[in-house]
Amino acid sequence: MPSEAVTGEDPFNQEPVSILRQPKAVWATAGASVVAFMGIGLVDPILPSIAKGLEATPSQVSLLFTSYFLITAVAMLVTGFVSSRIGGRKTLLAGLALVVVFAALSGTSSSVGELVGFRAGWGLGNALFVSTALAVIVGAAAGGSSAAILLYESALGLGMACGPLLGALLGDASWRYPFFGTAALMAIGFVCITAFLKEQPRPARKTSLLDPVKALGHGGLASVAASAFFYNYAFFTILAFTPFVLNMTPYKSGAVFFAWGLLLAVFSVLVAPQLQQRFGSLKVLGASLVLLAADLVVLGYGSHTTAIVCTIVSGALIGMNNTVYTELALGVSDAPRPVASAGYNFVRWFAAAAAPYLAPKIEEWSNIHIPFVVAAVASVIGAIVVWVRRSALSHEAEELEPKHATEDGVTVFAN
């Protein structure tokens, strides 16, 4: 992330502007973003409870992630098309409305098949909302893009940390309650955005469905997307498969992933920029991917206590990776940022859809250790892609000129 993490600058008087002094529209969007990101890790502590309640296998329950992220990946080609035609505010509200409906329906599911289907609808709504939220925050925030991006990253980290905690607190009584709770919170977000956010200016040029795919023709962006694909496989093996391995109560599992999310937030927003400034983005990314691979191997073969520690520590490495990948994706090519980020996310979210399903299947075919070995190999491959393609990735995001982050009314589903 940009180095000016605490304050931005007013372009008119050059006085520092605190990121806390923001319009109500920014806080409404950021607050809804927290809840949106909570939906990713919400089911983590209750995966075993869902499996028991619906008499499903781990691989069947893991489809909750697969359906969610598969729809998210495809939706990356659609969000820019939609928002460039109906505007950012309407896109946000449409996404929120879909999340409210499908999160509530998820809580009424009587079979794992129904729940998987409703999570797919939830994924579509979340993609529409989250992919547009940063563009809206950048357009409305005081203090420039640095302050806006920090707010967005903070919302992401807070959501990723609080999602498992909310899932644990509500899920201890019933696995259905976290879904109803999310629906209620997103409904509040819908009301706040309706009340406080004015319509954003529409872009001069409408985005086509194929623009993100065409952007992947750039070697640098394609390299980032390929590396992130393998990294995301490792990331979501931890997020979706580890709860079954830990086999803890919702409260204990929620506490583990809350600590994981806190490290993710701290290292994403505070630590990664400092390391990037000192060592460069590519070195930080390569080293972090290798360390993540080592962490996965120890997690897979260590004791129960070791697995808990490695799960929490992985949050720090994931936080750094997320920040660096986002900056590279937004800055490495000459495509507009919204188009570049859509193409990048289109590729990487397919791995997020594959890992939750394949990890339990690999365990069924082999043993409980091998899914983590496979994930570690994927992380190493991601590092190898960064090393081999380092010349194409040498233009880091912070060294490039801004690329009109809001011009197509949609931006990155950041991390």
Side-chain angles (χ1 to χ4, degrees):
M1 306 310 310
S3 58
E4 53 268 43
V6 178
T7 61
E9 289 189 0
D10 187 323
F12 296 101
N13 58 25
Q14 300 299 313
E15 291 293 328
V17 179
S18 170
I19 66 167
L20 299 179
R21 295 171 56 190
Q22 300 295 338
K24 292 179 180 178
V26 172
W27 288 119
T29 307
S33 297
V34 171
V35 181
F37 286 118
M38 286 170 60
I40 296 177
L42 179 81
V43 299
D44 254 30
I46 57 173
L47 284 175
S49 300
I50 294 173
K52 182 178 180 180
L54 296 179
E55 299 180 351
T57 65
S59 60
Q60 288 175 321
V61 173
S62 294
L63 288 173
L64 296 177
F65 286 99
T66 297
S67 63
Y68 184 92
F69 287 114
L70 185 61
I71 294 299
T72 297
V74 176
M76 285 299 127
L77 302 181
V78 178
T79 51
F81 178 87
V82 172
S83 64
S84 64
R85 285 161 175 78
I86 68 174
R89 181 175 181 272
K90 290 179 181 178
T91 304
L92 289 179
L93 292 175
L96 285 170
L98 286 172
V99 172
V100 170
V101 170
F102 284 103
L105 288 174
S106 295
T108 67
S109 301
S110 58
S111 70
V112 69
E114 285 186 6
L115 185 53
V116 168
F118 292 144
R119 278 282 285 182
W122 185 343
L124 174 60
N126 220 43
L128 287 171
F129 174 82
V130 178
S131 63
T132 311
L134 180 55
V136 171
I137 291 175
V138 168
S145 61
S146 296
I149 292 172
L150 176 59
L151 282 171
Y152 184 77
E153 291 285 354
S154 300
L156 183 150
L158 186 60
M160 293 291 281
C162 292
L165 192 62
L166 178 67
L169 293 174
L170 297 180
D172 189 58
S174 169
W175 65 263
R176 299 179 186 273
Y177 291 167
F179 297 112
F180 294 136
T182 300
L185 289 172
M186 289 303 257
I188 294 173
F190 184 96
V191 173
C192 290
I193 287 179
T194 301
F196 299 123
L197 180 64
K198 297 180 180 179
E199 185 56 80
Q200 304 295 297
R202 297 188 187 183
R205 187 182 74 84
K206 292 182 173 63
T207 302
S208 77
L209 293 175
L210 293 179
D211 280 351
V213 176
K214 293 176 181 177
L216 290 170
H218 184 280
L221 183 61
S223 300
V224 175
S227 178
F229 176 89
F230 291 104
Y231 157 66
N232 263 31
Y233 184 92
F235 176 0
F236 284 92
T237 295
I238 294 173
L239 191 63
F241 183 63
T242 302
F244 292 108
V245 176
L246 298 180
N247 194 27
M248 303 166 75
T249 65
Y251 275 124
K252 291 181 179 179
S253 182
V256 169
F257 279 95
F258 176 68
W260 170 87
L262 283 180
L263 281 184
L264 187 153
V266 169
F267 275 74
S268 176
V269 176
L270 300 178
V271 178
Q274 298 301 320
L275 292 177
Q276 286 175 274
Q277 187 174 16
R278 182 171 182 179
F279 299 107
S281 294
L282 298 186
K283 289 182 180 178
V284 171
L285 181 59
S288 184
L289 287 169
V290 171
L291 289 173
L292 180 61
D295 183 81
L296 279 160
V297 173
V298 176
L299 193 164
Y301 283 94
S303 65
H304 188 263
T305 300
T306 302
I308 292 174
V309 172
C310 288
T311 299
I312 294 172
V313 169
S314 72
L317 301 171
I318 289 169
M320 287 195 294
N321 289 336
N322 286 348
T323 294
V324 179
Y325 272 120
T326 298
E327 289 192 354
L328 288 175
L330 294 180
V332 75
S333 78
D334 52 2
R337 282 182 170 178
V339 174
S341 66
Y344 158 74
N345 282 291
F346 172 69
V347 173
R348 72 169 182 140
W349 288 120
F350 277 110
Y357 178 73
L358 289 178
K361 285 295 184 183
I362 292 171
E363 182 198 9
E364 293 173 10
W365 300 332
S366 54
N367 58 60
I368 199 169
H369 309 299
I370 302 303
F372 294 103
V373 174
V374 173
V377 170
S379 188
V380 170
I381 293 174
I384 291 173
V385 172
V386 171
W387 172 255
V388 172
R389 297 289 297 164
R390 61 190 181 279
S391 60
L393 300 175
S394 60
H395 291 161
E396 298 175 11
E398 63 268 23
E399 296 173 349
L400 298 178
E401 296 180 0
K403 289 198 183 76
H404 310 296
T406 61
E407 71 176 54
D408 287 328
V410 58
T411 188
V412 65
F413 185 2
N415 298 294

